[in-house]
Amino acid sequence: MKIDKKILNEIQDIVGKENATDNEVILESYTYNWCVEFINVMEGKDPIPFWHKPIAVVLPSTTEEVQKFVKLCNKYHLKFKAQSTGLGPWNQPSEDDVIVVDLRRMNKIVKIDPKNMYCVVEPYVTGAQLQAELLKYGLNCHMPGAGPQVSPLASSTSMCGPGFTSSSTGFSGRNVLGTEWVLPTGEILRLGSLSLKENSDWFHGDGPGPSLRGIMRGFIGTKSGLGIFTRVAIKLFPFPCNIKQLEIKNIIPNYDFDIPNYMQFHLISCKNYETLELAFDRIEKEGITFMCFHTSTYGLHTIFSNTQEELMNRAVASPRIKNPLVVLITANTKREFEYKEKVLKTAIEELKVKDVVATGKYIPPNIAYAEALRSALGMHGFLATGAFQSTHGSMDTSRLCRVLMERNLPLKKEYIDKGLIGNDEGKGNWSTSYEHGHFYHIETPTMYDQTKVESVEGFVEYLDRCNKLDLVEHLGIPFFIEGDKMHDWYGPQCSNYHIWLRKIKTKFDPNFVADSGFYISPEKEENKTT
């Protein structure tokens, strides 16, 4: 399908001629994304990293331009798919007749309120850019595990949101304050204190009246399936250490970093998953950590390596650390640091576990401290493999996380033994506390070879069985329950939520103009009820 030139001209009248195009070369550049190959396999297609080509691309620069464009889509019954920084298949059109709304021109930090500790950002502001400005005020923001290069707005309003600092900075969906939202009808909805008729501001995300946060994003967001978010306020946090001591040296990949005063990694070796659960709960109830997460031994070597050569050397030469719990203690004063270190030491002694950093058996590199502050540790996953993705993804108790890891171990080993996925001994898990043990997160990063059909297909089969495991064993709702097929599978087992989700979609998007490939389609005419 090609877009009608008259309609394209109308779009260009809204955003400017240079900011809307149907140029074939540009359209092709929007077909590629990370992990698209396994989505293709799930749909019975070839395992290639290219998906549907949009019929046009539009780059608005203001909320008003977004609103006018969406109203135009309703007028001509055209579908749109919005993207911010655009990482992953969730940003791709799910059909061939969709217009991509690339929000990269909306890249402003609108407001930083240091007194009330929140900021307001547009879609194309990255976590790294925001954090760089927040440092001037001694403040920090939550960033998801995807890294500092992604959009805090997208993570907060439309995606998942666990990160390496979740122990202290929470979950993206819980840091949302006032929100500006262009609905699929073209109406602008302002949530929270931003909706007040008098003295409106961004400081609160709920009320007056019933909260719409569940409809806005729920667990993992609607991924543009319910409109376009143009500005959002996000909760901020004190920066965890002395910002005057931050200095990077040398050049890539041999960066170095003078560790600021009052920062210390601890790597706690736990003999089994039961001990890991106890350690998580015991340490996190004290509220002393900046980071507190579990990864596999191989995952540990990965995040502390900057080259594949260094990764292999660590994997061979480093001591074997059983079920590692990674803790990062930070402080702004000597007294605070000594207190936190003393509390952690007491907990370690009570648990009868070992801190291999304290014993000198494993020393994280200096640059890892800088990458921890910049939320860049997750990017090291690409050192281990060219392609990986997570299965599971529940947010629940530490006990459920432990049970899930135990149940998943033999399943993952089955696919490792077949040579279909990377060999992490079945222990390739990543788990973190949220808000010092208020609740927990568990996912299982899995390596596969995107150049081999059998490996991509093997990963998809493993992913499907993980989803079944979660459902049968009551292990929580995983990440990738999205789209009609998956919701229709899970919904009847989970209070028929899919019925209500479709009613929401139908009410908010009566003309079905927001691409719902990663959300849910509206009700069919014969099933509509008032």
Side-chain angles (χ1 to χ4, degrees):
M1 177 181 174
K2 291 185 177 294
I3 190 169
D4 186 290
K5 290 295 184 181
K6 292 182 180 179
I7 298 175
L8 181 60
N9 289 338
E10 287 191 52
I11 296 173
Q12 290 174 336
D13 288 341
I14 295 171
V15 299
K17 188 173 182 179
E18 69 278 14
N19 296 314
T21 185
D22 63 349
N23 181 285
E24 288 293 322
V25 175
I26 293 176
L27 299 185
E28 286 289 348
S29 72
Y30 282 85
T31 63
Y32 172 84
N33 217 317
W34 173 61
C35 283
V36 165
E37 63 276 355
F38 85 78
I39 301 293
N40 275 319
V41 170
M42 291 173 71
E43 294 193 351
K45 300 176 183 177
D46 292 331
I48 58 175
F50 302 93
W51 217 21
H52 301 278
K53 182 171 67 175
I55 59 173
V57 176
V58 57
L59 283 76
S61 63
T62 65
T63 301
E64 290 71 27
E65 288 182 0
V66 172
Q67 181 183 36
K68 290 177 181 178
F69 166 75
V70 171
K71 287 184 176 181
L72 199 69
C73 288
N74 280 271
K75 177 181 177 181
Y76 293 112
H77 295 281
L78 293 170
K79 291 184 180 179
F80 66 81
K81 177 71 175 183
Q83 61 173 239
S84 297
T85 43
L87 176 67
W90 314 277
N91 296 277
Q92 304 301 111
S94 65
E95 302 176 40
D96 292 326
D97 60 347
V98 178
I99 299 173
V100 165
V101 185
D102 187 336
L103 299 166
R104 68 179 61 235
R105 294 178 68 215
M106 301 183 70
N107 58 2
K108 299 179 183 64
I109 299 173
V110 178
K111 179 180 183 179
I112 296 175
D113 185 333
K115 180 179 179 180
N116 295 300
M117 295 178 67
Y118 72 85
C119 66
V120 181
V121 295
E122 292 185 335
Y124 206 72
V125 174
T126 68
Q129 292 170 317
L130 177 59
Q131 190 188 54
E133 293 301 315
L134 294 176
L135 282 171
K136 299 173 183 178
Y137 303 94
L139 295 173
N140 196 23
C141 58
H142 172 75
M143 284 189 266
Q149 82 288 354
V150 303
S151 163
L153 177 143
S155 178
S156 297
T157 63
S158 307
M159 284 291 293
C160 302
F164 284 85
T165 64
S166 281
S167 168
S168 55
T169 61
F171 172 72
S172 292
R174 286 169 63 84
N175 291 327
V176 179
L177 301 174
T179 305
E180 185 177 77
W181 178 8
V182 179
L183 299 176
T185 58
E187 299 172 271
I188 296 177
L189 180 61
R190 294 178 174 89
L191 299 184
S193 54
L194 191 62
S195 67
L196 294 172
K197 291 182 179 180
E198 297 181 5
N199 301 317
S200 64
D201 209 340
W202 299 86
F203 60 85
H204 203 281
D206 298 304
S211 172
L212 289 179
R213 190 181 308 209
I215 290 177
M216 179 189 87
R217 60 153 293 126
F219 170 34
I220 56 171
T222 69
K223 304 174 181 71
S224 182
L226 277 184
I228 302 174
F229 298 94
T230 51
R231 293 187 292 178
V232 66
I234 301 170
K235 178 182 176 182
L236 301 177
F237 304 86
F239 199 76
C241 64
N242 189 342
I243 61 174
K244 296 180 180 180
Q245 296 179 323
L246 307 181
E247 184 178 353
I248 301 292
K249 301 178 180 179
N250 299 342
I251 59 173
I252 191 170
N254 299 312
Y255 288 125
D256 199 6
F257 181 64
D258 291 333
I259 303 172
N261 294 337
Y262 320 132
M263 286 188 75
Q264 182 62 59
F265 267 116
H266 298 270
L267 308 180
I268 299 167
S269 181
C270 302
K271 62 182 180 181
N272 51 39
Y273 286 144
E274 181 179 1
T275 304
L276 175 65
E277 177 196 350
L278 293 172
F280 251 138
D281 288 343
R282 174 64 183 86
I283 292 169
E284 281 300 81
K285 78 173 185 178
E286 299 292 349
I288 59 172
T289 63
F290 178 61
M291 290 182 172
C292 187
F293 65 89
H294 161 66
T295 184
S296 66
T297 303
Y298 189 62
L300 187 72
H301 299 326
T302 301
I303 64 174
F304 289 141
S305 300
N306 275 335
T307 65
Q308 289 185 329
E309 180 182 10
E310 184 180 357
L311 171 58
M312 292 300 102
N313 288 338
R314 283 188 177 275
V316 172
S318 298
R320 186 169 183 81
I321 305 170
K322 296 180 179 179
N323 308 304
L325 183 63
V326 182
V327 173
L328 178 57
I329 296 294
T330 60
N332 276 286
T333 66
K334 181 180 179 181
R335 182 184 179 190
E336 178 190 7
F337 182 69
E338 290 177 346
Y339 167 77
K340 289 181 176 180
E341 286 284 297
K342 184 177 180 180
V343 170
L344 179 62
K345 183 179 179 181
T346 300
I348 289 172
E349 290 173 351
E350 290 178 6
L351 291 161
K352 295 182 172 58
V353 293
K354 292 183 179 179
D355 175 6
V356 296
V357 173
T359 61
K361 293 182 178 180
Y362 197 108
I363 306 299
N366 286 8
I367 193 62
Y369 288 85
E371 292 177 325
L373 292 172
R374 295 289 272 169
S375 293
L377 294 176
M379 303 306 294
H380 290 242
F382 290 101
L383 285 177
T385 176
F388 71 94
Q389 188 48 266
S390 283
T391 61
H392 303 293
S394 300
M395 296 167 58
D396 210 284
T397 64
S398 58
R399 174 61 54 85
L400 182 137
C401 293
R402 166 194 154 190
V403 171
L404 192 151
M405 287 188 279
E406 292 171 343
R407 297 287 194 275
N408 190 70
L409 183 60
L411 175 59
K412 199 172 194 182
K413 281 187 173 181
E414 178 183 333
Y415 285 85
I416 292 170
D417 293 342
K418 292 178 181 178
L420 297 174
I421 60 176
N423 186 0
D424 59 12
E425 299 180 331
K427 292 192 171 186
N429 307 305
W430 189 79
S431 182
T432 183
S433 155
Y434 288 118
E435 301 165 18
H436 300 303
H438 185 72
F439 55 121
Y440 289 82
H441 169 83
I442 174 64
E443 60 185 91
T444 57
T446 301
M447 302 176 285
Y448 63 92
D449 188 342
Q450 68 179 149
T451 66
K452 294 182 178 180
V453 174
E454 61 272 20
S455 183
V456 181
E457 291 178 344
F459 169 75
V460 170
E461 183 181 307
Y462 165 67
L463 170 62
D464 183 63
R465 289 184 63 185
C466 287
N467 290 337
K468 290 178 181 175
L469 179 68
D470 288 339
L471 193 59
V472 173
E473 298 278 351
H474 308 294
L475 297 173
I477 304 294
F479 277 146
F480 301 122
I481 303 303
E482 51 200 6
D484 290 328
K485 181 180 177 181
M486 302 302 283
H487 286 308
D488 288 342
W489 175 29
Y490 257 66
Q493 312 295 325
C494 302
S495 304
N496 287 318
Y497 75 81
H498 63 305
I499 295 175
W500 297 101
L501 209 59
R502 279 204 170 88
K503 290 181 183 294
I504 291 169
K505 172 65 176 176
T506 303
K507 191 68 175 179
F508 277 68
D509 188 6
N511 292 321
F512 193 18
V513 297
D515 185 337
S516 295
F518 290 95
Y519 183 46
I520 198 167
S521 296
E523 292 179 292
K524 296 178 181 178
E525 285 297 327
E526 61 270 24
N527 295 331
K528 285 186 180 180
T529 58
T530 57

